Amino acid sequence: MSHQPTPFDRTALLDDFSIEVTARDGDRLTEAASSLPTGTRVNITALGTEDPTARLALAASAHRAGLTPVLHLAARRLADEQELRSELQAIQDQGTSSHVVVVGGDPRKPVGPYDSALSVMRTGLLAEHGVRDVGISGYPEGHPDIPRAMLAQALTDKVALLESQGIEATVVTQFSFDVDAVLGWVERVRDLGVEAPLRVGVPGPTSVKRLLAFARRCGVGTSAGVARKYGFSLGNLLTTAGPDAFVSALGERLEAGRHGDVRIHLFAFGGPVGTAAWARDYLAG
């Protein structure tokens, strides 16, 4: 008897999608809130150049607007345990600690005792401060400094540790332009026995020039062939590119039974207003 794959509704990718912003997007996120479904996860990045109080204020604003703020904690930027406790206590006090993302962070050398996201998770302080769901990083196109085997081991270690602490894990990926790379990565993750929800990172609509700048910064591949598949031309940097073709192609090739819970995570490189409008129009269309 032949195997009949369970079809994956491509609109399901944008059912409960998430969006990623920076503290600088405060006013624009307020404007975008009316276009975002109630409860939408809003990841707020931890940039070393931003004021931490601005990120806290944005999380509180998102919470008041009926959204779910997800603050990033950058392990290698934490000076000591007291700073970690203070950050967690601050978000717990304002009722925004249920969801966080824990990343290693930009500095190659840690400023304190935490050299990785896993080292922060091992403290046990997340559950103590009301964290129920932790976002962890995924890399469909690999990482320039970390071998694939080490990435796989870190992923399984984090998921197992969080499970032992009674915390749910959500894997949020670096953005990609390559559907083949994403599908291959999803299958490898499932083959590892990781059943956690996966949120595949894609850029919201923005200029091609801006897209390429972020791609270079993040080490994401942008060959001419992949760019054409994604839907933009490397020969015209002034045009705007959106993820329509990528999302449609990914949705058509996913199988619910094989690939599990997969959603879209939109990086608001062009701003939260345009990103929210894109998601609304894609679902309507």
Side-chain angles (χ1 to χ4, degrees):
M1 192 173 180
S2 62
H3 168 67
Q4 294 295 323
T6 306
F8 192 98
D9 179 0
R10 71 183 182 88
T11 61
L13 282 170
L14 281 157
D15 179 23
D16 188 32
F17 69 88
S18 49
I19 184 172
E20 186 153 324
V21 301
T22 72
R24 291 189 290 269
D25 291 314
D27 292 340
R28 288 171 289 181
L29 180 62
T30 301
E31 183 182 348
S34 60
S35 296
L36 293 169
T38 300
T40 297
R41 297 187 187 202
V42 179
N43 288 24
I44 303 170
T45 56
L47 300 178
T49 56
E50 290 180 341
D51 180 359
T53 60
R55 295 193 305 113
L56 274 175
L58 181 55
S61 176
H63 182 59
R64 288 193 298 270
L67 306 174
T68 301
V70 187
L71 277 162
H72 286 212
L73 299 172
R76 287 189 287 272
R77 292 205 200 106
L78 295 166
D80 50 33
E81 181 182 309
Q82 183 55 48
E83 184 174 358
L84 173 59
R85 285 183 177 276
S86 295
E87 286 200 24
L88 289 169
Q89 190 63 56
I91 58 177
Q92 185 177 33
D93 288 347
Q94 67 179 20
T96 60
S97 67
S98 61
H99 296 69
V100 300
V101 170
V102 184
V103 298
D106 294 335
R108 287 184 177 272
K109 182 178 179 181
V111 299
Y114 308 113
D115 62 353
S116 66
L118 190 60
S119 64
V120 169
M121 297 173 194
R122 285 177 175 145
T123 65
L125 293 175
L126 301 176
E128 185 179 314
H129 289 84
V131 176
R132 303 196 311 270
D133 182 284
V134 171
I136 55 184
S137 299
Y139 300 92
E141 298 188 37
H143 190 289
D145 300 320
I146 306 174
R148 180 174 288 183
M150 289 182 64
L151 289 174
Q153 187 63 57
L155 180 62
T156 54
D157 287 347
K158 291 171 188 176
V159 171
L161 177 61
L162 292 171
E163 183 178 338
S164 73
Q165 296 174 345
I167 298 175
E168 294 183 11
T170 299
V171 185
V172 184
T173 81
Q174 177 59 276
F175 72 89
S176 176
F177 300 124
D178 191 338
V179 171
D180 292 332
V182 169
L183 278 170
W185 174 84
V186 170
E187 291 176 359
R188 290 194 299 274
V189 168
R190 296 312 187 203
D191 288 343
L192 290 170
V194 174
E195 298 179 356
L198 307 179
R199 292 181 174 268
V200 174
V202 297
T206 189
S207 71
V208 171
K209 184 177 181 180
R210 190 169 175 82
L211 265 185
L212 294 177
F214 279 106
R216 283 192 296 271
R217 190 180 308 170
C218 300
V220 174
T222 54
S223 70
V226 172
R228 283 195 299 272
K229 288 181 183 179
Y230 190 83
F232 66 86
S233 168
L234 297 178
N236 189 347
L237 302 183
L238 300 181
T239 57
T240 295
D244 304 66
F246 178 95
V247 172
S248 296
L250 182 61
E252 288 166 2
R253 295 175 60 185
L254 285 168
E255 298 175 22
R258 172 77 174 96
H259 300 116
D261 186 350
V262 182
R263 312 295 170 110
I264 287 296
H265 179 69
L266 292 164
F267 288 87
F269 296 147
V273 175
T275 302
W278 175 87
R280 179 195 62 213
D281 294 344
Y282 183 88
L283 286 169

